[in-house]
Amino acid sequence: HFGAIMSLQVLGFCGADDSVDPRLLVTIANQYPWIEWGVLFRPDLEGKPRYASPAWVEQLSQARQQLGSGTTLLAAHLCSTR
């Protein structure tokens, strides 16, 4: 029904990668806890645009532990053979 009001509970941003400072991502997540950050995993594209490298994922994990308020929503997108 077109007259209904839509209410979003979560908004997803997909493709967080090495070009994004993990500390900034966590800082934004602290301000907007309804954002879900999608991280794409594909072995042959690691470290390329939209596909995070293992080192970046580790940095994100550390940033969540150091700066996070416990509300950083993450989604792992397993692409290709994973």
Side-chain angles (χ1 to χ4, degrees), residues 53-81:
S53 69
W56 185 87
V57 173
E58 179 59 33
Q59 291 172 8
L60 177 60
S61 176
Q62 291 173 3
R64 280 186 80 199
Q65 290 173 6
Q66 295 169 358
L67 305 171
S69 62
T71 59
T72 306
L73 299 178
L74 297 173
H77 295 246
L78 308 179
C79 306
S80 187
T81 59

Side-chain angles (χ1 to χ4, degrees), residues 4-76:
I5 296 175
M6 183 172 44
S7 174
L8 293 176
Q9 294 179 7
V10 176
L11 175 66
F13 290 113
C14 186
D17 63 16
D18 292 41
S19 69
V20 177
D21 182 336
R23 296 167 299 172
L24 179 59
L25 187 148
V26 172
T27 300
I28 294 169
N30 289 340
Q31 289 292 316
Y32 304 97
W34 41 267
I35 295 175
E36 178 184 85
W37 303 93
V39 181
L40 302 173
F41 293 93
R42 183 172 162 168
D44 59 324
L45 294 176
E46 288 177 347
K48 300 221 179 344
R50 296 182 45 87
Y51 296 90
S53 69
W56 185 87
V57 173
E58 179 59 33
Q59 291 172 8
L60 177 60
S61 176
Q62 291 173 3
R64 280 186 80 199
Q65 290 173 6
Q66 295 169 358
L67 305 171
S69 62
T71 59
T72 306
L73 299 178
L74 297 173

